[in-house]
Amino acid sequence: MSRLKVSAVPVLSDNYVWLITNPDTGETAAVDPSVGDPVLDEVATEGLRLTQILNTHWHPDHTGGNQGIKAATGAPITAPAEAQKVSSVDRIVSEGDRVTIAGADAVVWDIPAHTAGHVAYYFEDEGMIFVGDTMFAMGCGRLFEGTAEQMYSNMQRIAALPDDVRIYCGHEYTLANARFALHAEPENQDVARRLEQVSEMRERGEVTLPTTVAQERATNPFVRALDVEEFARLRSEKDSFR
Ligand SMILES: [Zn+2]
């Protein structure tokens, strides 16, 4: 079904750099490279050709590897304008722009709130979206540069995609999010089951991503919030939840 292959390079304490590879050509894009060397090592080990760098937002744990990877490979950097605060950018993108990545088409979405210029890359034909720090499995990003209204509408927009669209997030936060989700919806059996699954996966050291639109509709309290007031209450409760 899907043509491109996606793999995770775990870096720092809980970041994932996603590698999007075209298996026919070896062309590979690195999404949100926090650091350069582990990404370059992985690409060399797998015999891939790193030809593009994509950023979802400007935070240094999503852009810190840009310059090192570009220097080593010549790969151009595609990013929202805000990334220029911390990196050179070869192509600035925003809502509705189309980009070709490893031979496949993606459309850019503006999804501000975690940062003011945060974008997502949606590969409609491949059934996958890269959402950075906007949505996490069973959770959502913090509101550093935007409002609850913006973030709630981002949740609704992503959740309106087809059920089987895979969602690639920037961090391994699923276990902590699952605990909060059960606190938010103690009667939700899907949440209880997923918490158990995710605990086992993390004990085995497995990556819990990507998630899917269907899973998030069933288990993500921020997606399931009935209105922006409920969303805002959950978001502020999560900020201090332990
Ligand atoms: Zn961030």
Side-chain angles (χ1 to χ4, degrees), residues 40-119:
L40 293 169
D41 289 349
E42 176 72 10
V43 163
T45 306
E46 298 296 321
L48 308 172
R49 276 194 305 127
L50 214 164
T51 55
Q52 275 173 298
I53 299 162
L54 302 179
N55 299 135
T56 60
H57 65 295
W58 72 268
H59 284 161
D61 64 320
H62 295 255
T63 52
N66 281 7
Q67 302 308 324
I69 294 173
K70 185 173 177 180
T73 62
I77 299 162
T78 298
E82 65 171 19
Q84 291 174 299
K85 284 195 269 199
V86 291
S87 170
S88 68
V89 177
D90 297 291
R91 179 167 175 206
I92 292 172
V93 289
S94 62
E95 179 72 35
D97 285 338
R98 298 209 157 255
V99 287
T100 302
I101 296 158
D105 289 333
V107 63
V108 176
W109 286 9
D110 285 342
I111 47 170
H114 179 70
T115 64
H118 201 303
V119 300

Side-chain angles (χ1 to χ4, degrees), residues 208-219:
T208 63
L209 299 170
T211 180
T212 64
V213 168
Q215 277 184 299
E216 295 315 301
R217 277 199 214 118
T219 64

Side-chain angles (χ1 to χ4, degrees), residues 110-132:
D110 285 342
I111 47 170
H114 179 70
T115 64
H118 201 303
V119 300
Y121 298 92
Y122 175 42
F123 294 72
E124 187 174 3
D125 293 342
E126 303 280 329
M128 62 187 191
I129 186 166
F130 293 80
V131 298

